[in-house]
Amino acid sequence: MTDERVRQWSPVARAVAALLGPYAEVVLHDVVLDEVLAIWNPMTDRRAGEQSLLGELDKLEPSATDVYGPYEKTLTDGRRLSSVSALLRDEGGEPHAVLCINLDRTPMDQAAALLASFAAPVRPRPEPLFEQDWTERVQHTIGAYVRDHGRPIERLTRDDRLALVAELDAAGVFSVRRAVPAVATALRASRSTVYALLSEVKTQRSR
């Protein structure tokens, strides 16, 4: 006959296992008999009816919510787990079960390692390699401006575009044939707009 506590908590355990599976194990323990009542998505060969080895509950640090963790555990195969234990009480307020959720950290550790591998210090780019690549200069100049000002290209004002055209002109970009169409595309503006901005830049510079 299925234990009433298993019937009561099975929907919760199955929901957690379904959401976090296959990386989460959910275990329901009997605190009186100190044995496993049920396991959902087991990570080891442990089975219901085996000893829980929970220890003395009265030695736990008092907790108003009866929730302990997350704390770290390690499986024999080296996998690290993040675990949370919830002390479940009966209608009289006495502990009668413990629900444990063990989350395999392997995917998170692997993702963290992958991200860390891309975190090498970024060195200044070798400018001599890009001196002749005016398209790279256009992309770099506009990209840096967008990043520094925190506005996407679509939200750049006329003054923003004027400042960018002035910077690109000072770098000699517009001395290159077909630069205006390329800049217009990068700024998501019309060619006539870029020509007008360039004319204004030159007028201001000649004053």
Side-chain angles (χ1 to χ4, degrees):
M1 184 174 64
T2 303
D3 189 286
E4 177 61 29
R5 290 164 296 182
V6 176
R7 287 197 295 268
Q8 179 182 2
W9 292 101
S10 177
V12 175
R14 287 189 289 109
V16 172
L19 178 65
L20 301 177
Y23 303 109
E25 171 190 73
V26 184
V27 187
L28 185 65
H29 300 275
D30 184 327
V31 299
V32 177
L33 299 178
D34 190 32
E35 67 179 28
V36 176
L37 283 170
I39 301 180
W40 294 265
N41 190 33
M43 292 184 179
T44 65
D45 57 1
R46 181 170 53 167
R47 294 290 181 267
E50 294 186 7
Q51 194 172 6
S52 294
L53 302 174
L54 288 176
E56 299 297 330
L57 296 181
D58 56 5
K59 292 183 180 180
L60 288 171
E61 182 179 340
S63 170
T65 60
D66 286 336
V67 175
Y68 301 89
Y71 52 88
E72 185 173 306
K73 295 169 62 176
T74 305
L75 297 179
T76 55
D77 60 10
R79 283 180 293 169
R80 294 194 306 149
L81 308 178
S82 287
S83 302
V84 174
S85 295
L87 185 60
L88 309 178
R89 299 179 182 274
D90 60 21
E91 294 180 355
E94 293 299 318
H96 73 143
V98 172
L99 184 69
C100 294
I101 302 171
N102 302 312
L103 181 64
D104 184 357
R105 294 178 52 89
T106 302
M108 292 179 284
D109 290 341
Q110 291 174 341
L114 177 63
L115 291 174
S117 68
F118 289 99
V122 179
R123 299 179 177 85
R125 69 176 189 171
E127 291 299 335
L129 292 178
F130 299 96
E131 284 182 351
Q132 304 302 318
D133 190 347
W134 62 273
T135 58
E136 171 67 23
R137 184 174 295 277
V138 170
Q139 295 173 11
H140 178 75
T141 300
I142 296 176
Y145 189 95
V146 167
R147 182 181 63 251
D148 293 343
H149 290 75
R151 288 193 296 275
I153 293 177
E154 296 83 356
R155 293 179 56 192
L156 293 181
T157 65
R158 188 177 188 282
D159 287 341
D160 291 329
R161 288 185 168 85
L162 187 65
L164 278 167
V165 168
E167 185 174 351
L168 292 171
D169 185 49
V173 167
F174 292 106
S175 63
V176 179
R177 185 170 175 268
R178 297 187 58 81
V180 169
V183 172
T185 299
L187 289 177
R188 298 182 187 177
S190 65
R191 297 184 187 184
S192 59
T193 296
V194 174
Y195 277 119
L197 292 172
L198 183 58
S199 177
E200 186 172 344
V201 166
K202 293 183 180 301
T203 300
Q204 291 178 355
R205 192 171 294 158
S206 62
R207 290 176 181 173

